[in-house]
Amino acid sequence: MEKLKHSKLGIVSFILSFIPIIYVIIQTIIDLSSPIETGLNKGLVISYFIMNFMFAISLVSFVLGIIAITRKGYKRNLSISAVIISGLILLVPIISSIRSVIKILNI
């Protein structure tokens, strides 16, 4: 039996799935070390841009992971892990958006 190798798409997807997690950890450390009152935090516009960028990275990781899962002749462990991690990260803004729409419609 031939040993299967990891797909390059699966590896890239797995690495990309951890970038938003690393960002959240770093941002939490920055927020804890310099409270809002000190003025050392970044502006809100930059934070919104970065959060949208992290959403895009998670979405790309999710799609690449699904593509890597469907490829034959490669291991699927990293691809499945990347899809699960990215999917969990994507749930946060999706649920938040749904809650916002519901709140707006109930006014």
Side-chain angles (χ1 to χ4, degrees):
M1 184 169 163
E2 181 182 335
K3 275 196 156 186
L4 298 178
K5 294 180 4 182
H6 287 288
S7 146
K8 289 181 183 176
L9 279 178
I11 295 170
V12 169
S13 175
F14 187 72
I15 291 170
L16 284 177
S17 68
F18 279 103
I19 292 176
I21 296 171
I22 294 169
Y23 168 74
V24 167
I25 292 170
I26 292 172
Q27 189 61 42
T28 302
I29 292 170
I30 290 172
D31 288 344
L32 290 175
S33 65
S34 60
I36 293 174
E37 293 83 24
T38 61
L40 297 176
N41 283 357
K42 295 179 267 183
L44 286 178
V45 175
I46 295 172
S47 295
Y48 288 136
F49 173 76
I50 292 174
M51 292 304 287
N52 288 332
F53 186 66
M54 292 300 137
F55 177 79
I57 287 175
S58 292
L59 191 60
V60 168
S61 172
F62 188 78
V63 171
L64 287 178
I66 290 176
I67 293 170
I69 287 172
T70 60
R71 295 182 73 194
K72 300 206 186 281
Y74 292 101
K75 289 184 180 178
R76 293 183 173 94
N77 299 345
L78 290 179
S79 305
I80 292 172
S81 299
V83 167
I84 291 171
I85 293 168
S86 297
L88 290 174
I89 292 171
L90 289 173
L91 276 178
V92 174
I94 290 171
I95 291 173
S96 176
S97 298
I98 291 171
R99 287 182 66 200
S100 298
V101 168
I102 290 171
K103 189 180 275 189
I104 289 171
L105 293 177
N106 283 337
I107 290 180

